[in-house]
């Protein structure tokens, strides 16, 4: 039996085969887990052409049937508001690049807020959708097209639910750093596989985000951005939002509504203080040195 591969996130040799999955394009996905950073990674990584074929129109419209992609790609406004708040606190104005901008919804909001925006997107279909909204987008895998962008051009670079799809996250973040102005911000959003309800459960990995190549934990993603040479790293996990839907339902009693609200307040303001990395998604904020 061959030895397990070294973890590409933290360089630990303490890894083991966690599961195998058969995906489109004759991709036999071998997912390993690291006992040091607790993250997961695919080895060998699939050819870039296999990944490109996944991100056609069906990825944004039919994915829920296979666990690959989205049933209907329409991120909620509350999610964009959350991202905008953290970005705007740190970068009030300037030029923003979103890598993996999909159909351009967030860049439209940033443009309306006064930022100058650009995107890079691997999907030809999504690129056309973004361009139809007036967003300037380069179509292609970031690893292929980054050399067409002038170095140190951006005040902030966004990777929203992108890093887990890449073949080499340290290289990916490293080359993004070359496009960032000194002192610029990189903002990454990715699932947290130590958080509720993910917790590295096989049934989740086989039914949601099956195309991912990396499964990050706070320890793993911190190793990646540090290895890429970024500083002042802050990791935030996002608790569930207020139970607005339950509060307006007529089939739920007043006392049930109060219970749901109290439960959310407990999670938001007590559990998050006790264990700030317990939730299922992470926002990573880091700076390039001046």
């Amino acid at each position: 039996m061959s030895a397990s591969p070294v973890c590409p996130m933290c360089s630990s040799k303490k890894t083991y085969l966690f599961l195998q999955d058969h995906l489109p394009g004759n991709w036999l996905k071998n997912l390993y887990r690291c006992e040091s950073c607790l993250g997961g990674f695919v080895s060998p990584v699939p050819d870039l052409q296999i990944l490109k074929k996944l991100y056609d129109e069906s990825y944004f419209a039919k994915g829920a049937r296979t666990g690959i992609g989205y049933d209907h790609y329409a991120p909620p406004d509350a999610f964009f508001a959350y991202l905008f708040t953290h970005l705007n606190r740190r970068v009030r104005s300037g030029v923003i690049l979103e890598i993996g901008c999909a159909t351009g919804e967030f860049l439209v909001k940033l443009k309306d807020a006064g930022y100058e925006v650009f995107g890079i997107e691997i999907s030809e279909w999504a690129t056309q959708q973004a361009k139809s909204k007036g967003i300037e987008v380069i179509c292609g895998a970031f690893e292929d097209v980054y050399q067409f962008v002038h170095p140190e051009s951006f005040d902030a670079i966004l990777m929203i639910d992108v890093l887990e799809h890449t073949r080499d996250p340290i290289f990916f973040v490293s080359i993004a750093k070359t496009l960032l102005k000194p002192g610029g911000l990189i903002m990454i959003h990715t699932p947290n596989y130590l958080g509720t309800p993910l917790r590295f459960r096989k049934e989740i990995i086989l039914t949601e985000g099956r195309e991912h190549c990396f499964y990050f934990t706070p320890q793993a993603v911190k190793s990646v951005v540090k290895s890429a040479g970024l500083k002042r790293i802050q990791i935030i996990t996002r608790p569930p939002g207020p139970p607005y839907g339950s509060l307006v339902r007529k089939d739920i009693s007043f006392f049930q509504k109060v219970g749901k609200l109290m439960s959310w307040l407990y999670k938001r303001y007590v559990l998050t203080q006790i264990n700030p990395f317990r939730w299922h998604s992470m926002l990573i904020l880091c700076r390039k040195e001046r």
Side-chain angles (χ1 to χ4, degrees):
M1 181 181 294
S2 60
S4 294
V6 171
C7 175
M9 297 173 286
C10 72
S11 301
S12 172
K13 297 180 180 179
K14 296 179 180 180
T15 66
Y16 62 93
L17 184 63
F18 184 73
L19 63 79
Q20 290 184 313
D21 191 12
H22 292 269
L23 282 91
N26 295 318
W27 174 16
L28 173 60
K29 175 178 171 178
N30 297 311
L31 176 59
Y32 290 83
R33 194 169 188 198
C34 176
E35 294 180 0
S36 296
C37 69
L38 304 178
F41 62 95
V42 171
S43 182
V45 291
D47 185 271
L48 192 55
Q49 296 305 315
I50 291 177
L51 293 180
K52 286 180 179 179
K53 289 178 181 179
L54 292 175
Y55 304 112
D56 58 9
E57 181 177 357
S58 67
Y59 181 82
F60 295 90
K62 307 179 203 173
R65 302 176 189 176
T66 62
I68 299 173
Y70 301 85
D71 183 36
H72 177 64
Y73 181 77
D77 286 341
F79 177 57
F80 284 149
Y82 166 76
L83 296 176
F84 179 84
T85 296
H86 282 286
L87 173 65
N88 189 248
R89 283 176 185 169
R90 296 160 176 86
V91 181
R92 291 285 185 179
S93 62
V95 189
I96 309 295
L97 171 66
E98 183 177 4
I99 302 170
C101 65
T103 54
E105 280 88 348
F106 191 40
L107 289 182
V108 169
K109 294 181 183 299
L110 294 180
K111 185 178 180 180
D112 290 344
Y115 293 95
E116 186 178 355
V117 301
F118 299 89
I120 294 176
E121 171 55 45
I122 193 172
S123 167
E124 293 183 9
W125 179 83
T127 296
Q128 292 306 315
Q129 294 294 310
K131 286 183 175 180
S132 71
K133 298 167 186 170
I135 303 299
E136 186 174 337
V137 181
I138 298 174
C139 183
F142 179 58
E143 300 93 322
D144 291 340
V145 303
Y146 76 93
Q147 64 267 30
F148 300 119
V149 182
H150 196 277
E152 299 190 349
S153 298
F154 300 99
D155 297 285
I157 295 178
L158 315 180
M159 304 176 192
I160 309 304
D161 296 330
V162 168
L163 199 61
E164 62 272 18
H165 297 260
T166 65
R167 300 175 75 248
D168 184 342
I170 294 176
F171 175 68
F172 197 91
V173 177
S174 295
I175 59 178
K177 188 183 75 168
T178 68
L179 306 183
L180 200 62
K181 295 177 182 178
L185 176 77
I186 286 185
M187 187 167 82
I188 300 167
H189 186 272
T190 189
N192 171 21
Y193 278 88
L194 285 188
T196 305
L198 302 180
R199 295 197 182 280
F200 238 91
R201 292 161 53 202
K202 290 184 179 180
E203 61 268 30
I204 294 289
I205 290 171
L206 290 171
T207 57
E208 299 178 21
R210 289 176 64 201
E211 74 281 12
H212 294 175
C213 294
F214 286 86
Y215 296 79
F216 293 109
T217 63
Q219 301 96 308
V221 77
K222 188 172 184 178
S223 291
V224 166
V225 295
K226 284 182 70 176
S227 296
L230 291 164
K231 307 293 182 182
R232 294 169 57 189
I233 301 163
Q234 181 182 10
I235 301 176
I236 302 166
T237 62
R238 184 166 63 111
Y244 293 123
S246 297
L247 296 178
V248 299
R249 285 175 54 181
K250 295 182 179 179
D251 59 330
I252 293 181
S253 72
F254 171 78
F255 294 104
Q256 287 176 308
K257 292 178 181 179
V258 170
K260 289 181 179 294
L261 181 59
M262 294 301 293
S263 176
W264 175 77
L265 290 171
Y266 173 70
K267 292 176 181 177
R268 175 66 179 84
Y269 294 103
V270 179
L271 288 183
T272 298
Q273 300 304 314
I274 296 171
N275 181 3
F277 296 141
R278 67 174 291 113
W279 307 116
H280 72 278
S281 66
M282 295 182 286
L283 189 66
I284 301 94
L285 302 150
C286 38
R287 294 277 186 180
K288 179 179 179 178
E289 286 189 320
R290 293 186 180 276

